[in-house]
Amino acid sequence: LVEASASLSKQARRYLGNKRAQRCTFVNVRLEQLEPNPRAYGLVWLQWVLQYLIDEDVVSLLRACAGSLVRGGVLVVKENRPAWRTKSNRFELDTPAGPNERFDITRPDEHHRFLFSAAGLRELHSEHHDETTAWLLVPAADPSSCQDSPSTSAVNFVVASLNGIVS
């Protein structure tokens, strides 16, 4: 779990309980400064964090996370979608004076795809939910190379997780 706030990280440990927290790694750092271990993880899950970063930092973070994947590993990104149902290509900006009292930007799906491409990622699957979209991504590589593709069971598990079948 990456969390810039030590107090929120401590709350997460308490929430998980001692037994589950021992199986987790807690890192106190801003996402812009995250340097994950190379080739260390089979799954990296980014949820509701890109909206707090500028595009340049999003691309850097995605590249770093892609580099932290083992061969066959996957990256899941889940982010809010703009509420503009009729204009899906619009961005939404929230400020401390806005309804959520924070700075964030909600990007349209196509812009996320642009950022994924800029970070060298390939989309395997995406799911649209009420206000969110989730993507299953892998490092872009030769599509004919099975060595760089995740196993079918890994993809099925992650897709089931996105659909809420696995908790």
Side-chain angles (χ1 to χ4, degrees):
L1 174 69
V2 177
E3 172 55 60
S5 165
S7 64
L8 290 177
S9 184
K10 189 175 180 178
Q11 281 182 338
R13 287 176 195 265
R14 277 195 304 258
Y15 176 80
L16 288 172
N18 194 32
K19 188 174 181 180
R20 282 190 270 172
Q22 288 178 354
R23 296 185 303 181
C24 298
T25 302
F26 294 83
V27 179
N28 291 110
V29 66
R30 291 179 54 90
L31 289 173
E32 300 94 314
Q33 301 160 339
L34 180 66
E35 295 179 12
N37 294 328
R39 307 274 180 237
Y41 307 105
L43 171 67
V44 173
W45 192 293
L46 298 172
Q47 183 167 329
W48 297 320
V49 296
L50 302 184
Q51 65 198 42
Y52 301 105
L53 302 175
I54 62 171
D55 285 358
E56 180 181 0
D57 291 333
V58 169
V59 171
S60 293
L61 175 64
L62 292 172
R63 284 181 181 155
C65 290
S68 75
L69 295 173
V70 297
R71 183 167 291 202
V74 296
L75 174 62
V76 174
V77 173
K78 184 175 181 182
E79 288 291 319
N80 290 335
R81 289 194 329 228
W84 302 92
R85 300 290 182 224
T86 58
K87 301 279 187 180
S88 61
N89 62 343
R90 290 190 181 182
F91 290 73
E92 285 183 356
L93 178 66
D94 195 8
T95 66
N100 297 310
E101 300 180 347
R102 62 178 184 239
F103 281 108
D104 70 59
I105 186 161
T106 306
R107 298 170 175 92
D109 289 353
E110 284 310 307
H111 192 73
H112 278 107
R113 287 185 175 100
F114 167 79
L115 296 172
F116 301 154
S117 177
L121 294 166
R122 178 170 51 102
E123 179 182 334
L124 292 182
H125 183 79
S126 64
E127 294 279 333
H128 295 280
H129 300 281
D130 290 338
E131 297 177 356
T132 64
T133 301
W135 295 270
L136 178 62
L137 307 164
V138 294
D142 179 0
S144 64
S145 172
C146 295
Q147 296 174 1
D148 291 328
S149 298
S151 69
T152 302
S153 61
V155 171
N156 288 341
F157 174 80
V158 172
V159 170
S161 297
L162 295 174
N163 287 323
I165 297 168
V166 178
S167 53

